[in-house]
Amino acid sequence: MEKRVIAIACGGDSSEHDVSMRSAAGIESFLDKERYIVYKVEIHARHWEAILADGSRVPVDRNDFSFETPGGRVQPDFCYITIHGAPGENGILQGYLDLIGMPYSTSDVLVEAMTYDKFVLNNYMRSMGVSVADSMLIRQGQEGSVSDEDIISRIGLPCFVKPASGGSSFGTTKVKTGAELRPAIDLALKEGEDVMVEAFMAGTEVTCGCYKTRRHSTVFPVTEVVPTGEFFDYDAKYNGQVQEITPARISERLSQRIQALTSTLYDILGCRGIIRIDYIITEGEKIKLLEINTTPGMTPTSFIPQQVRAAGLDIKDVLTEIIEDTLASR
């Protein structure tokens, strides 16, 4: 069987560029090398480069995503997107790949754009009957027209101030006093154009991954997230300041409810590939949606590989199933 060529799109233009590169290394290690020839393609603004086996780099022709190697010109058969943030998590890269006719691993343009904008996602999910935190949007240039008193009376304290669009925890602040609001808004505006102020929800944070193909629907075990700091910020995510417990220390009934909701949200949005959904379990075992990650971290210690192992599955087989199912549907 002739090996297919898989390009792992990584890097991107957000503060999570380096994290994306680590996810790409993880995916490269997981993929079946007997079935696929794998190249990483680092994307940063208008600078796109394929990384060859010897570590050298060659430019990518953006007309067709091809590149030159010592063995000849390579045209990838499939793009595995692991960019956390723009342009891989907001629909831009997906739109480009649709235009050139290349299959890819994630959801389509609409789903990516909607899940990337936390405020849009919250309001859409609320309209579908999903429980989410109350929130308000402050657009760039309009931050002076909203007073601290307006925010506090509407959302309350404590609250979270975060970039409305983004795939990371950069620029996110847990605000406890009115004096902390303006610095938090200014910080969030450094990471994105708009700011979302979100009500604080006390409870247990959990996360659950899912993927579906034409043959299988797989929902992974639930992971409990116990940060040592105030919330699940960058240090908790990537510098080990968190306990990640899979399966979560919750009842079997609650786990099943979370898994069922994860599967339902996957279908409501029309997702493709692997996603991971974060929730807060509040008093009375109420499940509150936090966010939906359509390009979740894929280092060996990330949530999804943990959950795959806990489910008794092999990550190599999972990725192969997703790739082959997508290729067969084209």
Side-chain angles (χ1 to χ4, degrees), residues 195-246:
V195 175
M196 183 169 79
V197 183
E198 187 176 51
F200 172 73
M201 297 184 292
T204 300
E205 184 168 350
V206 297
T207 187
C208 183
C210 176
Y211 79 97
K212 300 188 181 188
T213 63
R214 288 172 298 171
R215 294 180 58 193
H216 297 120
S217 175
T218 303
V219 184
F220 299 128
V222 178
T223 298
E224 182 180 350
V225 183
V226 187
T228 58
E230 287 282 351
F231 64 99
F232 191 49
D233 60 5
Y234 182 86
D235 281 334
K237 282 184 179 179
Y238 305 118
N239 294 329
Q241 296 183 19
V242 65
Q243 279 185 283
E244 300 167 0
I245 303 166
T246 309

Side-chain angles (χ1 to χ4, degrees), residues 22 27 44 60 90 94 98 153 191 198 302-303 314 323:
R22 297 205 296 270
I27 291 169
H44 185 58
V60 172
N90 60 355
Q94 287 80 2
D98 284 339
S153 64
E191 290 291 328
E198 187 176 51
S302 295
F303 287 123
D314 188 325
I323 292 168

Side-chain angles (χ1 to χ4, degrees), residues 238-301:
Y238 305 118
N239 294 329
Q241 296 183 19
V242 65
Q243 279 185 283
E244 300 167 0
I245 303 166
T246 309
R249 299 171 299 182
I250 57 178
S251 69
E252 181 65 23
R253 178 176 172 275
L254 180 55
S255 290
Q256 290 173 354
R257 287 175 55 211
I258 293 166
Q259 290 174 310
L261 179 57
T262 299
S263 179
T264 298
L265 297 185
Y266 192 106
D267 293 340
I268 286 174
L269 287 167
C271 293
R272 295 202 302 262
I274 298 175
I275 69 165
R276 198 193 79 233
I277 305 184
D278 302 338
Y279 305 96
I280 288 283
I281 309 303
T282 61
E283 187 176 358
E285 294 192 344
K286 295 178 180 177
I287 306 170
K288 308 276 190 175
L289 174 68
L290 282 179
E291 63 178 282
I292 298 176
N293 304 277
T294 57
T295 60
M298 290 292 283
T299 69
T301 58

Side-chain angles (χ1 to χ4, degrees), residues 94-209:
Q94 287 80 2
Y96 159 78
L97 293 170
D98 284 339
L99 286 173
I100 66 170
M102 182 172 293
Y104 51 86
S105 60
T106 70
S107 304
D108 64 17
V109 173
L110 177 60
V111 176
E112 294 296 322
M114 187 185 306
T115 55
Y116 190 69
D117 190 311
K118 300 178 180 71
F119 187 75
V120 169
L121 178 68
N122 271 17
N123 282 278
Y124 179 73
M125 288 290 98
R126 185 182 290 110
S127 75
M128 302 299 290
V130 179
S131 183
V132 297
D134 191 18
S135 61
M136 62 184 294
L137 186 70
I138 303 173
R139 296 201 179 277
Q140 188 176 51
Q142 298 178 357
E143 58 269 27
S145 63
V146 181
S147 70
D148 295 353
E149 291 73 21
D150 291 336
I151 296 171
I152 294 169
S153 64
R154 164 73 187 279
I155 302 298
L157 292 174
C159 64
F160 283 101
V161 176
K162 60 181 72 174
S165 296
S168 75
S169 297
F170 285 101
T172 299
T173 306
K174 182 178 180 181
V175 172
K176 299 178 180 178
T177 68
E180 296 172 344
L181 268 175
R182 288 299 144 176
I185 291 170
D186 292 342
L187 178 64
L189 285 171
K190 292 179 180 178
E191 290 291 328
E193 293 183 355
D194 300 325
V195 175
M196 183 169 79
V197 183
E198 187 176 51
F200 172 73
M201 297 184 292
T204 300
E205 184 168 350
V206 297
T207 187
C208 183

